[in-house]
Amino acid sequence: MPSPRRTIEGRPLGSSGGSSVPGSPAHGAGGGRFEFQSLLSCRAGADPACARLRASDSPVHRRGSFPLASAGPAQAAPALPPEEDRMNLNPSFLGIALRSLLAIDLWLSKKLGVCAGESSAWGSVRPLMKLLEISGHGIPWLLGTLYCMLRSDSWAGREVLMNLLFALLLDLLMVAVIKGLVRRRRPAHNQMDMFFTVSVDKYSFPSGHATRAALVSRFILKHLVLAIPLRVLVVLWAFVLGLSRVMLGRHNVTDVAFGFFLGYMLYSIVDYCWLSPHNVPVLFVLWNHQ
């Protein structure tokens, strides 16, 4: 009599597909062996569907804490934003301070622009402010310095005037370079009716008039012997000229403040590179031949 233990994968030979009666010895032995072999095949990775089913039944994955390894790109973790975006979301104290100072600068410049137009609060003073604007323009100072150089008959006077011309040219060059690099627009309430403008004059930072006022006033106070009232008048002229730039709406307050600082530093450069017959004799020799 054939033994019921002759099985293939736990089933008796000749059975049509696992129709043994539950509770019978064949069912207990064969079914247990079949379940044991299925469990081994699942652990060995033979059945991927079983592995996915067993992973999904895990209490960790049931809560959706960790995505499955076989999950598609749609279930991937969201990518972190770029570093610059994360910095914008958390700005530094320096950035907040600079933005606050810029807002104060724009507000104060608009409040002080009382001569920006004829209909402004001090619109009647606008012609006087424009006349003061011409007094600090670069062209009158260049032409006046050249004329005095040609009319001078002393070596000391020519030396001073030549260095003044060098300072004015250096001022024009530095202001044009900084304006071209920064490219800060002039205030919105400004009227572009300035005296003799060039391409870089559409930019605001720094104020060329304030730079020139600080440079020329320091040059005059250093190399001209003036009485105390005249010295006070020179300083007052430089201060009022810088203030008029804001009142006319030409510049913001920071443009004028940096212009004063730049003009002060430019004179230090001119004083360090002072031109004289000892270090640049060629200029003075050519001038003497003329």
Side-chain angles (χ1 to χ4, degrees):
M1 179 178 180
S3 175
R5 296 188 178 182
R6 287 184 304 167
T7 58
I8 300 176
E9 296 183 356
R11 292 194 299 270
L13 292 175
S15 62
S16 59
S19 59
S20 60
V21 180
S24 63
H27 180 271
R33 187 179 302 176
F34 173 73
E35 292 177 358
F36 179 72
Q37 290 182 358
S38 300
L39 182 60
L40 289 179
S41 62
C42 288
R43 288 183 179 178
D47 192 356
C50 181
R52 289 196 297 269
L53 180 61
R54 191 171 63 252
S56 62
D57 289 340
S58 174
V60 177
H61 293 279
R62 192 176 300 134
R63 296 177 179 268
S65 302
F66 300 96
L68 295 176
S70 60
Q75 298 181 0
L80 293 176
E83 185 177 357
E84 57 271 13
D85 294 342
R86 296 199 297 270
M87 292 175 63
N88 291 336
L89 295 176
N90 187 19
S92 61
F93 175 77
L94 180 60
I96 296 175
L98 290 178
R99 290 185 179 92
S100 302
L101 290 177
L102 179 60
I104 295 173
D105 176 37
L106 297 177
W107 173 81
L108 185 60
S109 302
K110 189 173 182 179
K111 288 294 182 181
L112 292 177
V114 293
C115 301
E118 287 76 7
S119 59
S120 302
W122 290 15
S124 58
V125 193
R126 183 176 172 83
L128 180 61
M129 290 296 174
K130 293 187 68 174
L131 184 63
L132 185 63
E133 178 183 45
I134 298 176
S135 70
H137 201 278
I139 291 181
W141 279 99
L142 286 174
L143 295 179
T145 304
L146 287 173
Y147 177 78
C148 293
M149 285 176 61
L150 295 176
R151 300 288 299 177
S152 178
D153 54 356
S154 64
W155 284 100
R158 290 178 178 179
E159 181 179 343
V160 172
L161 290 172
M162 180 175 292
N163 284 275
L164 178 58
L165 180 64
F166 168 64
L168 293 173
L169 293 176
L170 180 63
D171 163 64
L172 291 176
L173 178 63
M174 290 299 297
V175 170
V177 169
I178 296 177
K179 281 187 175 182
L181 292 176
V182 178
R183 297 189 176 187
R184 185 183 188 183
R185 294 291 179 179
R186 291 187 180 270
H189 54 278
N190 174 49
Q191 297 182 9
M192 292 297 293
D193 55 350
M194 296 178 291
F195 171 74
F196 193 83
T197 60
V198 292
S199 60
V200 294
D201 286 332
K202 62 183 178 181
Y203 301 122
S204 174
F205 185 89
S207 172
H209 284 71
T211 306
R212 195 169 301 111
L215 173 63
V216 170
S217 61
R218 192 180 178 193
F219 191 97
I220 291 175
L221 294 177
K222 179 72 174 181
H223 297 284
L224 292 182
V225 180
L226 299 175
I228 294 180
L230 292 178
R231 298 175 73 88
V232 173
L233 187 61
V234 169
V235 176
L236 186 62
W237 166 79
F239 175 76
V240 175
L241 179 60
L243 181 62
S244 68
R245 308 306 293 161
V246 182
M247 296 177 65
L248 285 171
R250 309 293 197 204
H251 294 278
N252 297 307
V253 176
T254 51
D255 303 335
V256 176
F258 186 80
F260 281 143
F261 172 76
L262 180 61
Y264 188 89
M265 297 305 297
L266 285 180
Y267 174 77
S268 300
I269 298 176
V270 173
D271 189 51
Y272 180 79
C273 304
W274 186 262
L275 306 179
S276 65
H278 301 285
N279 51 18
V280 282
V282 178
L283 295 177
F284 293 91
V285 168
L286 292 176
W287 196 352
N288 190 23
H289 285 307
Q290 291 177 357

